[in-house]
Amino acid sequence: MSDNEKYELYSRGFCPFTQMVRVAFNFKEIPYTFTRWSPSDPEPEWLAQASPDNTVPVLRLLDGSFTNSSVKMIALAEEKGSGPTLYPNEFAAEWEATLRTELVPSFLKVLMAANPKIQAEFRPKLTSILKKITDHLEKSNGKYFFGDSYSVIDVICSPLLHRLPLIQYFRGPNFSNPVLATYISSLETHPAFQSIQWPLASIRSALIMMLPKMRPMSAGRLQHIAIRAHFAKVIELNKALVATESKEEAIDLSRELTRRVETLVLFIEQHAAFEEQVVYPVFEEMSPGSTTTAHDEHVHDEQVLASAKRDFPAAQREVENAEDKVIKAKEAFGKLLPGLEKWNKAMTEHMAGEEKDLFPMTEKLGEREIGVFRKIYYHCVSVREVLLPFVMEFLSPQERMQYMNNISEAVFESDFEQWQLCGKYLAKSLPKAELADLVERLPKLAKAL
């Protein structure tokens, strides 16, 4: 076959389906040329006809026609190529169908979806198919899915499982295990994949720029995550304080617990205030009566917040002034624990109600959304230095990125000084390694530091 008779494969970015095709072509020794467009490259006019849905890869066949189906390209490799078959037994086609319907969609949804609900929906599905793969590998003898026979299953798995660490980086959960790790190592060192694999760091950098971000009002969900985490922390500290037998620990824990409760109260007060003054009026305009329950709960919470602001500092002072600080800590803070747990339960139910009934309304704000969020941002300006570290402390790295991206949507272009202040607050509160990680995930943050 002459150079003019080679298949022509085209793609853009770091497409895993393109990698599947290249692995199959390499394994089956299909002669082809490969062209990869960068984001700045002009794409040819023929692409619109060759790939009406604008997906890649695209393959120009020997007769000049095109296909943008990676499934057909792999089938072509099996039909036209040389060497061992990609279907070494009667189970290969069945497993191929399973991977295409279970592994491919769940993997891509968990990694690529901006909506946390979609990620959550597909996480169990990804866990399930990876367990199926792991169970099969444990029974298989050899380096690959079907023992020593390289197959279409390995072709499909190679680019996806190679990206498994990126799910942990962007989404948190670690889906790997020792069996999968050994299998992935075998896939990555197979010549068909090794010669065309992209460094994970390069794929990660590309995904940082291209992964879709959540809408600005998603900050509410992130704030709820922070509130839940801080409640868990103060309850943990309160229990430790009641259980301690150390004078020094009683003093330290009482101070830390009181500081955290006071900050938690401040945040919940601010959170309720901007909801009442900024968000709920908009929701009421959209759907009269929709915020009545949440408003009534806010009114009830005012007494709870006032009690917390009064009782925890008072208990701390009692410990500080007591002769037997351990006994006083058990007594003073022991009385507060049931109320703290009751408060946590009430707040959990309140937030769940908002997430069920009110959060979906943010999706209907349209062009008004950024304006509403900007008002929320400025409502909290006076306490931002305290509350920004509070929110960020227990968020995952990617959630931190999303929260700061939301803020950037509100102020980066319109009020850069505010963006710089946020950078200053983060630089003071985050460890250097965590700040560097956040800058890597959100490069525009570097301009605020």
Side-chain angles (χ1 to χ4, degrees), residues 164-181:
L164 205 55
L166 296 179
I167 289 185
Q168 184 175 7
Y169 178 83
F170 286 107
R171 304 306 181 204
N174 180 7
F175 288 92
S176 191
N177 60 59
V179 174
L180 279 178

Side-chain angles (χ1 to χ4, degrees), residues 369-389:
E369 181 173 3
I370 187 60
V372 172
F373 182 72
R374 188 173 286 119
K375 289 181 180 178
I376 292 172
Y377 176 86
Y378 283 106
H379 188 280
C380 302
V381 160
S382 63
V383 290
R384 180 79 55 201
E385 185 172 3
V386 175
L387 296 188
L388 183 59

Side-chain angles (χ1 to χ4, degrees), residues 74-327:
I74 293 173
L76 181 146
E78 173 66 12
E79 177 186 353
K80 303 293 187 180
S82 59
T85 177
L86 287 170
Y87 298 84
N89 57 48
E90 66 272 26
F91 305 110
E94 181 180 346
W95 266 103
E96 179 185 17
T98 297
L99 295 189
R100 292 194 183 281
T101 57
E102 297 182 29
L103 176 64
V104 173
S106 61
F107 188 98
L108 294 179
K109 290 293 186 183
V110 171
L111 177 59
M112 302 297 292
N115 191 326
K117 291 183 178 179
I118 296 177
Q119 296 172 28
E121 175 187 350
F122 281 90
R123 273 197 297 269
K125 298 177 182 179
L126 180 57
T127 298
S128 175
I129 183 58
L130 290 177
K131 185 177 185 304
K132 289 182 183 178
I133 293 172
T134 300
D135 290 345
H136 176 90
L137 291 170
E138 287 179 330
K139 300 173 186 176
S140 177
N141 295 317
K143 297 170 64 176
Y144 306 114
F145 194 80
F146 292 123
D148 292 326
S149 298
Y150 197 78
S151 71
V152 67
I153 309 305
D154 306 305
V155 168
I156 295 171
C157 285
S158 291
L160 296 181
L161 298 188
H162 176 65
R163 288 164 166 77
L164 205 55
L166 296 179
I167 289 185
Q168 184 175 7
Y169 178 83
F170 286 107
R171 304 306 181 204
N174 180 7
F175 288 92
S176 191
N177 60 59
V179 174
L180 279 178
T182 300
Y183 176 51
I184 292 169
S185 179
S186 296
L187 296 178
E188 291 174 340
T189 54
H190 190 284
F193 181 69
Q194 189 175 37
S195 61
I196 58 95
Q197 68 177 274
W198 292 304
L200 276 180
S202 298
I203 302 175
R204 183 178 68 195
S205 296
L207 289 176
I208 285 172
M209 302 306 296
M210 68 176 287
L211 278 180
K213 308 294 193 297
M214 292 186 288
R215 302 179 343 272
M217 291 296 284
S218 66
R221 183 191 70 87
L222 298 172
Q223 289 173 351
H224 281 192
I225 290 173
I227 290 171
R228 290 186 177 100
H230 279 281
F231 264 113
K233 182 62 177 180
V234 296
I235 289 173
E236 173 192 320
L237 288 171
N238 203 324
K239 290 180 177 179
L241 184 53
V242 171
T244 188
E245 298 297 335
S246 165
K247 170 186 172 182
E248 290 75 16
E249 194 172 59
I251 295 173
D252 292 341
L253 286 174
S254 68
R255 291 173 179 172
E256 175 69 3
L257 174 58
T258 301
R259 180 189 68 81
R260 285 185 174 274
V261 169
E262 288 179 326
T263 308
L264 180 59
V265 168
L266 175 62
F267 185 80
I268 292 175
E269 287 177 333
Q270 291 289 319
H271 188 86
F274 73 64
E275 286 181 332
E276 293 286 347
Q277 298 173 29
V278 178
V279 181
Y280 289 0
V282 177
F283 287 170
E284 283 296 314
E285 180 184 326
M286 297 167 64
S287 178
S290 59
T291 67
T292 300
T293 299
H295 168 74
D296 291 344
E297 290 170 348
H298 283 169
V299 173
H300 175 268
D301 287 345
E302 289 176 2
Q303 184 176 352
V304 176
L305 295 170
S307 297
K309 282 198 293 187
R310 178 188 67 243
D311 295 343
F312 279 86
Q316 182 197 345
R317 288 193 295 270
E318 289 182 36
V319 173
E320 298 273 2
N321 297 328
E323 186 172 333
D324 192 325
K325 301 184 185 304
V326 172
I327 291 178

